[in-house]
Amino acid sequence: TGTAPLSATITNYVGRRLRFSAYSFSPHVTTYNRRGRGRDDSGHFILSYLKQGSAIVVQDGREACVSAGDIVLFDPTRPVRIKAAMRVHSFDLGAEQMKALLPQVDVLTSIALKQDSGAGSILRCVLDELIAASGSLDDEVSDRIADAVPHLVAAALAAMPEASRVAPGRMDAYHLARIRGFVRDHLRRADLSPEMIARGVALSTRRVHELFG
């Protein structure tokens, strides 16, 4: 921001499937303008756990004022603006897995998670321990953690009041879009069937039929 040069320190952990970082930034503004994903890019969400400082995260018309101890999720494949001076721990989460665990996750970005109890508190403890143990993780343990963390993130986000305010019609439209996308991507498969589609989008076969009934 202004004319002062950006000062930053970054430490990364990159496993086969688990990726996270510890950042420190001087005051700055970051803007992601990318729209959509490439054909072979399944995408990811970024979970930011602010350890020091403050940030304003804006995505899809939602603005989160984030302070130390808060957690916020955003999707770097959709436009987002971040104004911050902070020390932050950042974790990559696969978009496909997050959407299977929490279908409404797209409308829960840019909302500060401030829970001091329950799943939010547990999530903070796990993220702190993960950063502390980064130097001792082997590939097998790292892969298992990569499977487990999205479940805990989904539990913490689902406990937010905003998660229960998603209109049923909007959820139906979201599921229909996912189903149509899956069908387009697998149209040449000879075994394409309602059962295969249901598995691919993490819904029951009955629910798939209901959506198109």
Side-chain angles (χ1 to χ4, degrees):
T1 57
T3 59
L6 174 67
S7 173
T9 60
I10 303 173
T11 303
N12 292 321
Y13 173 87
V14 181
R16 293 183 301 198
R17 292 166 50 214
L18 181 67
R19 297 182 181 183
F20 55 86
S21 305
Y23 298 94
S24 292
F25 289 112
S26 61
H28 71 288
V29 175
T30 300
T31 303
Y32 293 82
N33 289 314
R34 182 183 175 193
R35 291 181 179 272
R37 302 181 176 103
R39 185 170 180 176
D40 298 323
D41 181 8
S42 59
H44 68 284
F45 290 94
I46 295 177
L47 186 78
S48 291
Y49 176 18
L50 210 68
K51 300 298 293 180
Q52 189 176 37
S54 61
I56 298 174
V57 183
V58 181
Q59 184 163 64
D60 298 340
R62 295 180 296 275
E63 180 176 301
C65 295
V66 188
S67 55
D70 294 345
I71 294 172
V72 66
L73 185 78
F74 67 91
D75 182 350
T77 67
R78 307 200 313 272
V80 62
R81 186 176 187 270
I82 303 170
K83 182 178 181 180
M86 60 184 180
R87 182 168 63 88
V88 63
H89 295 166
S90 179
F91 303 81
D92 286 5
L93 303 171
E96 188 173 331
Q97 185 179 11
M98 284 304 304
K99 289 180 179 182
L101 293 170
L102 191 66
Q104 67 268 47
V105 66
D106 280 328
V107 299
L108 297 177
T109 61
S110 192
I111 298 174
L113 176 62
K114 297 178 177 289
Q115 295 172 350
D116 293 323
S117 61
S121 179
I122 295 169
L123 175 60
R124 285 186 182 85
C125 292
V126 169
L127 298 182
D128 283 335
E129 289 299 321
L130 191 52
I131 290 288
S134 60
S136 61
L137 298 177
D138 60 37
D139 286 341
E140 184 176 351
V141 170
S142 175
D143 287 350
R144 291 181 183 275
I145 293 172
D147 284 333
V149 168
H151 287 267
L152 187 51
V153 173
L157 293 177
M160 296 195 303
E162 292 83 358
S164 61
R165 296 176 190 155
V166 181
R170 186 167 182 177
M171 286 304 301
D172 288 352
Y174 170 70
H175 287 313
L176 284 167
R178 292 175 62 226
I179 291 169
R180 291 184 179 117
F182 183 87
V183 171
R184 282 196 304 271
D185 291 343
H186 298 83
L187 201 55
R188 297 182 181 276
R189 290 278 298 265
D191 58 343
L192 186 63
S193 65
E195 291 74 21
M196 178 184 173
I197 294 168
R199 289 193 300 272
V201 297
L203 294 173
S204 68
T205 305
R206 178 179 177 180
R207 181 66 176 133
V208 170
H209 284 295
E210 286 176 349
L211 287 166
F212 284 91

